[in-house]
Amino acid sequence: DRARPPGIGQRAGRGPAGSRRTTFGVHGERSASGAAPYVAPGAPAAAAARTNTDVHLFYYPWYGSPAVAGSYRHWQQGGHTPPNDIGADLYPKFGAYDSGDLAGAVSQHMRWIQQSGAGVIVFSWWGQGSYEDQLAAGVLDTAARFGIKVAWHLEPYPGRTAASTVADVNYINSRYGGSPAFYRDAAHGNRGAFYVFESLRITDWTALEQVKSSSIVLAQTTDTSKVAHFGGMYTYDAIAGATAPGWKGAADFCNANGLVWAPSVGPGYIDDRAVPGNTTPTLARNNGATYDTEWQNALSAANGGPPSWVSVTSFNEWHEGSVLEPASSAPPAGFGYQTFNGAYGKTGVAAETAYLDRTKYWVDQFTGTTTPPNPNLALGKPITASSSTPGFWQYYANDGNALSYWESANNAFPQTLTLDLGAPLTSVSKIVLTLPPSSSWGTRTQTLTVKANQTPGWPYATIVGSRDYTFNPATGNTVTITFPPTSVRGLQLYFTGNTGWPAAQISEFQVYRT
């Protein structure tokens, strides 16, 4: 079993030991192990459901079956005998499936993930040449067909160090960075995301400075004294999410220091069959009430919410019973399996997808797409600018038309774009900025500060410090900025740079309430 640092829930599953370590070349070269960089297969795209890339599901590709892998992998954990007897307290609707069954299990996973509204899976990765590494390209290909993105969960394989983690990040970027499914966060410099499980096992992470420009590396902790050199924090623990210990301090620290805060929520936890005799406490699902509580904790202003991302433990960690993946409503008899029966008032087959559907509800709550909708408060409100290029006036920035845009005077930074939301004061927590969604607009990074005031004519105070935001046509030329709920009358964007044009440029300045 995996050991855990204090305060972190135990992970029941085991990854492969003895993963091969190598050194790596720059992007586009082969690694020392001879692994070629990813080449997109050009597979036809499946119809994409509406998903959100700020919600990430931890995803486990370590399962095997005789039909595909030649033998069972992981399902036998805890001394069990698949296919009917597996090391889990819930039984998959798919049975003891294989993570290499791309056309079957993995494609269905992507459909279910679409149904959940989440846009990113966080792929459990156990080192170069590991079983999971060998499956990564196929999972990326399948994810790409369904419009799902892939981030990375760097697991504690034997011998992992800060230096080997840097090598792993470089290897993953080089080998898989060409996939259309490779996740990059446009709101944080268009960088990939790497979650480091049990990061507290290593004390000196100075080496991460080598990959900061290309990658957001997250520490698994809420201890802000342990995250020097990291790009953010997450928690993973599905048990701790019920009480959110340390979340407010972690959120405030991340907001103040320009880091990503990605608290982890889960529907429950039970690993009794996978780890017989384990003393880790269980967390009952309570027919969905537990999951709702954890989402509320993640989004609550009292805990520093809304966060940059919400990470979900998990899509399919069956050993720990934290799954959203549909569990069979009629599992093999005689083994004591639980079911989702009763979740959110659903029974039988209808309950199998209850947690996918509830995830969609919470994704909508998080992203402001609920019905009734969380309206764009900036639409049509009075807007002023420090300057405008003739024909590209400031009122184009909140006219509801993404094709029209405001452009400031050229070669004259700094510049400002200011909204008056009117009285009374409004509590807001999210700004969405866009440029025209056209491939003719090359990727560009604009440097800006977000300021606010509460009384007309009063000075504007900074609520989000100066940061670089990358607008990329491949991701809709959209940037989302979140911050703790703040009561405001006016909002101002203060621009100091643009790598694509010597002026500030915005096609839509959208504002959403708490």
Side-chain angles (χ1 to χ4, degrees), residues 250-266:
D252 289 349
F253 181 86
C254 288
N255 286 329
N257 290 279
L259 304 179
V260 167
W261 168 233
S264 304
V265 303

PDB file of all heavy atoms in Angstrom, residues 250-266:
ATOM      1  N   ALA A 250      -4.640  27.818   2.237  1.00  0.00           N
ATOM      2  CA  ALA A 250      -4.028  27.443   0.961  1.00  0.00           C
ATOM      3  C   ALA A 250      -4.571  28.303  -0.171  1.00  0.00           C
ATOM      4  O   ALA A 250      -3.823  28.765  -1.041  1.00  0.00           O
ATOM      5  CB  ALA A 250      -4.272  25.962   0.676  1.00  0.00           C
ATOM      6  N   ALA A 251      -5.887  28.510  -0.180  1.00  0.00           N
ATOM      7  CA  ALA A 251      -6.501  29.324  -1.234  1.00  0.00           C
ATOM      8  C   ALA A 251      -5.989  30.757  -1.182  1.00  0.00           C
ATOM      9  O   ALA A 251      -5.636  31.348  -2.215  1.00  0.00           O
ATOM     10  CB  ALA A 251      -8.022  29.294  -1.105  1.00  0.00           C
ATOM     11  N   ASP A 252      -5.948  31.333   0.013  1.00  0.00           N
ATOM     12  CA  ASP A 252      -5.474  32.710   0.147  1.00  0.00           C
ATOM     13  C   ASP A 252      -4.028  32.837  -0.296  1.00  0.00           C
ATOM     14  O   ASP A 252      -3.647  33.811  -0.973  1.00  0.00           O
ATOM     15  CB  ASP A 252      -5.618  33.179   1.594  1.00  0.00           C
ATOM     16  CG  ASP A 252      -7.068  33.387   1.999  1.00  0.00           C
ATOM     17  OD1 ASP A 252      -7.947  33.379   1.117  1.00  0.00           O
ATOM     18  OD2 ASP A 252      -7.313  33.537   3.212  1.00  0.00           O
ATOM     19  N   PHE A 253      -3.216  31.860   0.061  1.00  0.00           N
ATOM     20  CA  PHE A 253      -1.797  31.889  -0.318  1.00  0.00           C
ATOM     21  C   PHE A 253      -1.657  31.813  -1.838  1.00  0.00           C
ATOM     22  O   PHE A 253      -0.874  32.571  -2.436  1.00  0.00           O
ATOM     23  CB  PHE A 253      -1.060  30.725   0.340  1.00  0.00           C
ATOM     24  CG  PHE A 253       0.405  30.671   0.041  1.00  0.00           C
ATOM     25  CD1 PHE A 253       1.314  31.390   0.798  1.00  0.00           C
ATOM     26  CD2 PHE A 253       0.890  29.884  -1.001  1.00  0.00           C
ATOM     27  CE1 PHE A 253       2.677  31.342   0.519  1.00  0.00           C
ATOM     28  CE2 PHE A 253       2.243  29.825  -1.284  1.00  0.00           C
ATOM     29  CZ  PHE A 253       3.143  30.559  -0.520  1.00  0.00           C
ATOM     30  N   CYS A 254      -2.400  30.910  -2.466  1.00  0.00           N
ATOM     31  CA  CYS A 254      -2.313  30.779  -3.921  1.00  0.00           C
ATOM     32  C   CYS A 254      -2.793  32.048  -4.620  1.00  0.00           C
ATOM     33  O   CYS A 254      -2.161  32.524  -5.573  1.00  0.00           O
ATOM     34  CB  CYS A 254      -3.113  29.566  -4.392  1.00  0.00           C
ATOM     35  SG  CYS A 254      -2.361  27.969  -3.981  1.00  0.00           S
ATOM     36  N   ASN A 255      -3.898  32.609  -4.150  1.00  0.00           N
ATOM     37  CA  ASN A 255      -4.408  33.835  -4.761  1.00  0.00           C
ATOM     38  C   ASN A 255      -3.412  34.981  -4.627  1.00  0.00           C
ATOM     39  O   ASN A 255      -3.239  35.788  -5.547  1.00  0.00           O
ATOM     40  CB  ASN A 255      -5.738  34.223  -4.109  1.00  0.00           C
ATOM     41  CG  ASN A 255      -6.884  33.341  -4.542  1.00  0.00           C
ATOM     42  OD1 ASN A 255      -6.907  32.836  -5.664  1.00  0.00           O
ATOM     43  ND2 ASN A 255      -7.850  33.139  -3.668  1.00  0.00           N
ATOM     44  N   ALA A 256      -2.746  35.056  -3.473  1.00  0.00           N
ATOM     45  CA  ALA A 256      -1.816  36.153  -3.226  1.00  0.00           C
ATOM     46  C   ALA A 256      -0.520  36.007  -3.999  1.00  0.00           C
ATOM     47  O   ALA A 256       0.186  36.996  -4.238  1.00  0.00           O
ATOM     48  CB  ALA A 256      -1.513  36.252  -1.728  1.00  0.00           C
ATOM     49  N   ASN A 257      -0.190  34.780  -4.403  1.00  0.00           N
ATOM     50  CA  ASN A 257       1.113  34.529  -5.026  1.00  0.00           C
ATOM     51  C   ASN A 257       1.016  34.054  -6.473  1.00  0.00           C
ATOM     52  O   ASN A 257       2.009  33.577  -7.037  1.00  0.00           O
ATOM     53  CB  ASN A 257       1.885  33.497  -4.199  1.00  0.00           C
ATOM     54  CG  ASN A 257       2.327  34.051  -2.862  1.00  0.00           C
ATOM     55  OD1 ASN A 257       3.336  34.745  -2.764  1.00  0.00           O
ATOM     56  ND2 ASN A 257       1.547  33.773  -1.817  1.00  0.00           N
ATOM     57  N   GLY A 258      -0.155  34.193  -7.074  1.00  0.00           N
ATOM     58  CA  GLY A 258      -0.298  33.832  -8.479  1.00  0.00           C
ATOM     59  C   GLY A 258      -0.174  32.356  -8.749  1.00  0.00           C
ATOM     60  O   GLY A 258       0.252  31.947  -9.834  1.00  0.00           O
ATOM     61  N   LEU A 259      -0.552  31.513  -7.774  1.00  0.00           N
ATOM     62  CA  LEU A 259      -0.471  30.063  -7.925  1.00  0.00           C
ATOM     63  C   LEU A 259      -1.850  29.476  -8.198  1.00  0.00           C
ATOM     64  O   LEU A 259      -2.879  30.089  -7.918  1.00  0.00           O
ATOM     65  CB  LEU A 259       0.110  29.427  -6.662  1.00  0.00           C
ATOM     66  CG  LEU A 259       1.478  29.919  -6.198  1.00  0.00           C
ATOM     67  CD1 LEU A 259       1.894  29.196  -4.920  1.00  0.00           C
ATOM     68  CD2 LEU A 259       2.522  29.739  -7.283  1.00  0.00           C
ATOM     69  N   VAL A 260      -1.864  28.267  -8.724  1.00  0.00           N
ATOM     70  CA  VAL A 260      -3.099  27.538  -8.964  1.00  0.00           C
ATOM     71  C   VAL A 260      -3.527  26.844  -7.671  1.00  0.00           C
ATOM     72  O   VAL A 260      -2.727  26.174  -7.015  1.00  0.00           O
ATOM     73  CB  VAL A 260      -2.906  26.493 -10.079  1.00  0.00           C
ATOM     74  CG1 VAL A 260      -4.084  25.518 -10.121  1.00  0.00           C
ATOM     75  CG2 VAL A 260      -2.735  27.174 -11.433  1.00  0.00           C
ATOM     76  N   TRP A 261      -4.781  27.009  -7.304  1.00  0.00           N
ATOM     77  CA  TRP A 261      -5.369  26.288  -6.174  1.00  0.00           C
ATOM     78  C   TRP A 261      -6.403  25.333  -6.736  1.00  0.00           C
ATOM     79  O   TRP A 261      -7.350  25.744  -7.404  1.00  0.00           O
ATOM     80  CB  TRP A 261      -5.987  27.265  -5.186  1.00  0.00           C
ATOM     81  CG  TRP A 261      -6.872  26.693  -4.111  1.00  0.00           C
ATOM     82  CD1 TRP A 261      -8.144  27.098  -3.821  1.00  0.00           C
ATOM     83  CD2 TRP A 261      -6.563  25.648  -3.171  1.00  0.00           C
ATOM     84  NE1 TRP A 261      -8.645  26.386  -2.752  1.00  0.00           N
ATOM     85  CE2 TRP A 261      -7.695  25.478  -2.337  1.00  0.00           C
ATOM     86  CE3 TRP A 261      -5.447  24.842  -2.961  1.00  0.00           C
ATOM     87  CZ2 TRP A 261      -7.746  24.532  -1.310  1.00  0.00           C
ATOM     88  CZ3 TRP A 261      -5.487  23.898  -1.924  1.00  0.00           C
ATOM     89  CH2 TRP A 261      -6.621  23.754  -1.121  1.00  0.00           C
ATOM     90  N   ALA A 262      -6.198  24.015  -6.509  1.00  0.00           N
ATOM     91  CA  ALA A 262      -7.059  22.988  -7.102  1.00  0.00           C
ATOM     92  C   ALA A 262      -7.494  21.994  -6.034  1.00  0.00           C
ATOM     93  O   ALA A 262      -7.056  20.842  -6.016  1.00  0.00           O
ATOM     94  CB  ALA A 262      -6.330  22.272  -8.238  1.00  0.00           C
ATOM     95  N   PRO A 263      -8.351  22.400  -5.091  1.00  0.00           N
ATOM     96  CA  PRO A 263      -8.789  21.479  -4.041  1.00  0.00           C
ATOM     97  C   PRO A 263      -9.487  20.270  -4.640  1.00  0.00           C
ATOM     98  O   PRO A 263     -10.112  20.356  -5.698  1.00  0.00           O
ATOM     99  CB  PRO A 263      -9.752  22.336  -3.212  1.00  0.00           C
ATOM    100  CG  PRO A 263     -10.277  23.344  -4.179  1.00  0.00           C
ATOM    101  CD  PRO A 263      -9.108  23.663  -5.068  1.00  0.00           C
ATOM    102  N   SER A 264      -9.384  19.149  -3.941  1.00  0.00           N
ATOM    103  CA  SER A 264      -9.934  17.896  -4.453  1.00  0.00           C
ATOM    104  C   SER A 264     -11.207  17.519  -3.708  1.00  0.00           C
ATOM    105  O   SER A 264     -11.255  17.566  -2.470  1.00  0.00           O
ATOM    106  CB  SER A 264      -8.906  16.774  -4.303  1.00  0.00           C
ATOM    107  OG  SER A 264      -7.688  17.116  -4.938  1.00  0.00           O
ATOM    108  N   VAL A 265     -12.223  17.159  -4.460  1.00  0.00           N
ATOM    109  CA  VAL A 265     -13.495  16.723  -3.896  1.00  0.00           C
ATOM    110  C   VAL A 265     -13.745  15.282  -4.318  1.00  0.00           C
ATOM    111  O   VAL A 265     -13.240  14.825  -5.349  1.00  0.00           O
ATOM    112  CB  VAL A 265     -14.655  17.628  -4.355  1.00  0.00           C
ATOM    113  CG1 VAL A 265     -14.380  19.075  -3.977  1.00  0.00           C
ATOM    114  CG2 VAL A 265     -14.889  17.521  -5.870  1.00  0.00           C
ATOM    115  N   GLY A 266     -14.518  14.560  -3.514  1.00  0.00           N
ATOM    116  CA  GLY A 266     -14.816  13.176  -3.851  1.00  0.00           C
ATOM    117  C   GLY A 266     -16.150  12.752  -3.281  1.00  0.00           C
ATOM    118  O   GLY A 266     -16.658  13.352  -2.327  1.00  0.00           O
TER     119      GLY A 266
END
